[in-house]
Amino acid sequence: MHARKKVFKGLDRIGYICKIIQFTLSGIYIHVPFCRQACHYCDFHFSTNLERMDQMAEMICRELKLRADYLQKTSVETIYFGGGTPSLLQPQLIEKILNQISITYNSDWREVTLEANPDDLDVDKLLSWKSLGIDRLSLGIQSFDEDVLKFYNRAHSSKESKSAIEKARKVGFEKFSLDLIYGYPQPTHELWKRDLSEAIAQNPGHISSYALTVEPKTALGSWTEKGKFQPAEEDFVAEQFEILQELSDKAGYIQYEVSNFGKHGQFALHNTNYWKGVPYLGVGPSAHSFDGKNRGANPSNNSLYLKNLEDGTIPFAVDNLSDEERLNEYILTGLRTLWGIDLGVIHKDFSKDLLASKKSILDQMDREGWLIWKDKNLSLSKSGKLLADSIAAALFF
């Protein structure tokens, strides 16, 4: 496919749908900024200094109290512990945070997710998490190949991954997701096929899969700059994306977002709400928030975050979006999903006629077979999803 050269630039970055409607539900995201060790590809905010976890949990609770009005008394439907490595938190700290949410917010939880590394899962922790109301685990598997795991600097082994899944099932977890990375440079696609087949064989309800991306301030970025690592060609990565689509579809998974595949009734509710534009409050260092109209973020600095909250200051910077920015984010995020974008919403809420203003571009995309039309709803075909962000960018105002 000649257009593959533009495929993966920004493919795995999540934007925000900004449909302007009245919301009755919301979510809370808690960023836990600690990891035992740095994965060589990761540029998320974290620290390997684990000494301040108690203090961090205390300040996260304080932020939850200080920002009580942000969600405007909507019911909190989903809670998501992300990171970093939230499974490093002792259960009593997780309980403290959940109790604070219960006290401060209108809570009607339908899903509480905890990101976890396989090496952190033991039966006692799993039982504690389940007793606290956590009902969904997102397991950072990344690969089942030992050499690849070592290259990524992951702390777990393939054996620990399979054991973690087995333990989670035994204590009664029914909802969990496996995270995988594709695009590791190889002469053939056999390694990726083995990884994906092994993940499917574990029969999780959900699989999230992302392309290996070279980020500047990572070990991988440094190696690439020094010529010690050669990333895979974009066509190779695109082929692996197509293998992901093919094998997951055969196994009964629905690609409901570019990087997310779920069986019926197993879509990640918290992330689905992100893409549908439901407001959420993000607490913790580097956490982002969205109030249904504007967004903002906390500083990506543990010390600064802690100091601000100790002083009683909310460390949150608002990013006021223009109508055009909201519209473009709606297009960007919506086209990544199964549900697509609604041309009626664009006309009603943004006073724009996408069909008229982008007619020639849309006609060309139609001829390429990238679009699916259903009344006034526009979504992407399988081949279109390969180019999701490039297609969205071409439709920006």
Side-chain angles (χ1 to χ4, degrees):
M1 299 175 71
H2 65 278
R4 281 181 179 155
K5 294 300 178 183
K6 295 182 180 178
V7 174
F8 289 99
K9 187 174 179 59
L11 182 64
D12 295 311
R13 299 293 188 183
I14 297 177
Y16 301 80
I17 295 182
C18 300
K19 189 185 296 186
I20 304 173
I21 59 177
Q22 184 65 42
F23 296 99
T24 58
L25 299 172
S26 56
I28 293 179
Y29 171 81
I30 301 104
H31 188 81
V32 181
F34 301 105
C35 289
R36 280 202 180 89
Q37 60 194 50
C39 297
H40 288 156
Y41 53 80
C42 182
D43 72 338
F44 291 165
H45 172 66
F46 67 91
S47 170
T48 55
N49 180 354
L50 307 184
E51 295 178 359
R52 303 170 94 178
M53 283 198 283
D54 286 15
Q55 184 187 13
M56 184 63 69
E58 181 67 33
M59 291 304 104
I60 283 173
C61 288
R62 183 172 295 183
E63 185 185 2
L64 284 165
K65 286 189 283 187
L66 289 172
R67 300 183 67 191
D69 294 334
Y70 187 81
L71 296 176
Q72 300 178 15
K73 302 189 185 305
T74 56
S75 292
V76 175
E77 182 184 36
T78 64
I79 299 171
Y80 193 104
F81 288 86
T85 311
S87 52
L88 288 176
L89 282 183
Q90 292 301 311
Q92 61 265 29
L93 296 182
I94 295 174
E95 182 177 19
K96 184 175 187 174
I97 293 168
L98 289 174
N99 284 343
Q100 188 63 63
I101 293 172
S102 294
I103 293 167
T104 310
Y105 297 87
N106 296 326
S107 299
D108 185 21
W109 306 343
R110 288 182 56 198
E111 176 188 274
V112 184
T113 300
L114 180 83
E115 290 183 355
N117 280 351
D119 48 302
D120 289 329
L121 269 66
D122 59 49
V123 172
D124 288 341
K125 268 191 175 181
L126 285 162
L127 288 170
S128 294
W129 294 341
K130 201 164 191 308
S131 71
L132 293 174
I134 293 166
D135 63 348
R136 183 176 182 275
L137 298 177
S138 179
L139 301 179
I141 304 294
Q142 314 314 353
S143 176
F144 288 96
D145 185 274
E146 299 296 346
D147 290 336
V148 175
L149 289 172
K150 288 176 184 175
F151 176 80
Y152 290 159
N153 201 35
R154 297 293 291 172
H156 68 275
S157 66
S158 177
K159 183 178 179 181
E160 284 176 311
S161 290
K162 296 171 188 176
S163 174
I165 296 166
E166 184 179 353
K167 289 175 189 174
R169 281 204 168 104
K170 279 187 176 178
V171 304
F173 278 96
E174 297 178 357
K175 294 195 297 182
F176 57 90
S177 176
L178 304 186
D179 284 5
L180 297 174
I181 296 175
Y182 60 92
Y184 180 79
Q186 288 277 285
T188 70
H189 296 302
E190 290 310 306
L191 187 151
W192 173 232
K193 288 179 180 178
R194 287 198 306 272
D195 265 354
L196 187 53
S197 296
E198 182 61 56
I200 290 170
Q202 299 299 318
N203 194 31
H206 191 281
I207 293 172
S208 296
S209 194
Y210 305 91
L212 180 62
T213 306
V214 177
E215 302 291 353
K217 297 180 181 179
T218 63
L220 204 59
S222 176
W223 296 341
T224 303
E225 187 178 343
K226 294 174 182 177
K228 295 179 180 180
F229 175 74
Q230 180 62 48
E233 295 291 333
E234 288 187 345
D235 277 355
F236 178 87
V237 181
E239 288 163 5
Q240 296 212 331
F241 181 75
E242 291 171 330
I243 291 168
L244 170 63
Q245 289 179 308
E246 179 185 357
L247 294 186
S248 61
D249 182 61
K250 285 181 180 178
Y253 292 87
I254 300 165
Q255 188 180 16
Y256 70 99
E257 193 271 342
V258 168
S259 301
N260 288 273
F261 303 76
K263 293 189 175 180
H264 286 287
Q266 291 279 342
F267 295 1
L269 181 58
H270 186 83
N271 289 340
T272 296
N273 285 347
Y274 277 161
W275 301 316
K276 288 188 172 182
V278 175
Y280 63 92
L281 169 66
V283 297
S286 83
H288 288 68
S289 300
F290 175 61
D291 65 3
K293 185 176 181 182
N294 296 306
R295 52 187 169 88
N298 290 342
S300 298
N301 182 303
N302 286 6
S303 296
L304 180 60
Y305 174 83
L306 293 171
K307 184 181 185 306
N308 271 260
L309 282 159
E310 283 170 349
D311 294 340
T313 303
I314 299 173
F316 178 69
V318 178
D319 181 10
N320 292 307
L321 302 176
S322 67
D323 287 345
E324 187 174 276
E325 287 172 326
R326 294 189 188 102
L327 172 55
N328 289 341
E329 289 190 345
Y330 173 61
I331 293 169
L332 174 67
T333 312
L335 285 178
R336 291 179 62 91
T337 71
L338 174 70
W339 304 281
I341 57 176
D342 188 329
L343 272 61
V345 167
I346 292 174
H347 186 268
K348 177 178 177 292
D349 291 343
F350 300 100
S351 301
K352 298 287 186 182
D353 188 334
L354 183 72
L355 197 58
S357 59
K358 305 291 181 179
K359 186 178 186 307
S360 61
I361 297 172
L362 290 168
D363 287 346
Q364 176 62 31
M365 291 177 178
D366 256 333
R367 288 192 290 271
E368 296 285 354
W370 298 337
L371 308 181
I372 297 173
W373 293 93
K374 187 175 181 181
D375 298 325
K376 290 186 177 181
N377 186 267
L378 172 62
S379 59
L380 300 182
S381 65
K382 278 189 175 181
S383 59
K385 287 186 176 73
L386 188 66
L387 298 157
D389 287 356
S390 295
I391 289 172
L395 298 178
F396 283 172
F397 286 87

